[in-house]
Amino acid sequence: MKLDSLENLFLHEIRDLLSAEKQLLKALPKMAKAASSENLKAAIESHLEETKMQVERLEQIFEELGKSPRGPQCKAMAGLVEEAQELIDEEGEESVKDAALIGSAQRVEHYEMAGYGCARTYAEMLGMTNAAELLQQTLDEEKAADEKLNSLALSEINQQAQG
Ligand code: FE
Ligand code: FE
Ligand code: FE
Ligand code: ZN
């Protein structure tokens, strides 16, 4: 798609986000399964449920705009998921692997936060009030997920990893 208008850039961004979220629908169950800490497993599983809603919000935006949701694969998320899988496949101590999983999950959340922040701002500028609200809801969930992971790391997982 030509990047010749803010609207086209907005469409590019939300197609990228939809691709990223759909990749996460497949990756998060693997990450939850790989987690040893019950709290970490639960946090990832609850974010998987939120991710299903996030996909629906993006699809709703495309529907309201009458635009196709189809776009290229988000290569950044493919890379983040691939790196997470490499860590999952490593031999090692359960507790250290949990700390590594949190680092991978936080990378994912930060990528999403950047994407949703940009898309939300473009939607506001373009007068797409409803789209901006839906994107803000998801942005808030991504931030909360990141904070949850951070507090789990600080309260439990990193100490366990240190032994
Ligand atoms: Fe998400
Ligand atoms: Fe991307
Ligand atoms: Fe990397
Ligand atoms: Zn997320």
Side-chain angles (χ1 to χ4, degrees):
M1 143 156 330
K2 261 195 188 168
L3 294 181
D4 54 359
S5 66
L6 191 63
E7 183 178 352
N8 278 345
L9 176 58
F10 171 72
L11 289 170
H12 170 85
E13 287 279 1
I14 61 175
R15 285 176 180 139
D16 187 76
L17 283 165
L18 182 58
S19 164
E21 297 289 11
K22 286 189 167 171
Q23 292 179 58
L24 287 171
L25 288 182
K26 290 186 193 160
L28 288 173
K30 294 179 193 167
M31 291 171 79
K33 190 162 175 257
S36 300
S37 152
E38 285 307 316
N39 288 332
L40 178 55
K41 203 183 274 288
I44 297 171
E45 280 168 356
S46 109
H47 196 53
L48 172 61
E49 291 312 305
E50 287 177 332
T51 299
K52 292 175 187 168
M53 287 298 304
Q54 296 174 354
V55 167
E56 284 183 23
R57 284 188 199 117
L58 288 167
E59 286 172 343
Q60 190 185 330
I61 292 171
F62 286 108
E63 234 166 78
E64 282 173 13
L65 297 174
K67 300 286 183 186
S68 165
R70 291 182 57 87
Q73 184 200 44
C74 172
K75 295 189 189 71
M77 190 57 71
L80 291 173
V81 165
E82 191 183 335
E83 285 194 21
Q85 188 61 50
E86 282 172 5
L87 292 172
I88 288 169
D89 293 339
E90 284 292 339
E91 311 270 319
E93 285 291 326
E94 283 183 354
S95 56
V96 178
K97 291 188 70 175
D98 275 1
L101 265 179
I102 289 198
S104 291
Q106 286 193 285
R107 281 172 169 75
V108 165
E109 296 317 314
H110 280 246
Y111 180 78
E112 295 183 294
M113 283 154 60
Y116 279 104
C118 289
R120 181 273 330 268
T121 298
Y122 301 152
E124 279 173 357
M125 292 174 67
L126 293 163
M128 300 169 175
T129 313
N130 195 45
E133 256 170 49
L134 291 168
L135 294 166
Q136 182 67 54
Q137 278 177 37
T138 296
L139 178 58
D140 291 343
E141 286 175 358
E142 310 296 20
K143 284 183 182 166
D146 177 58
E147 277 161 24
K148 179 79 201 275
L149 291 164
N150 219 29
S151 62
L152 263 180
L154 294 175
S155 67
E156 174 188 339
I157 307 292
N158 289 354
Q159 275 102 326
Q160 300 271 358
Q162 197 176 25

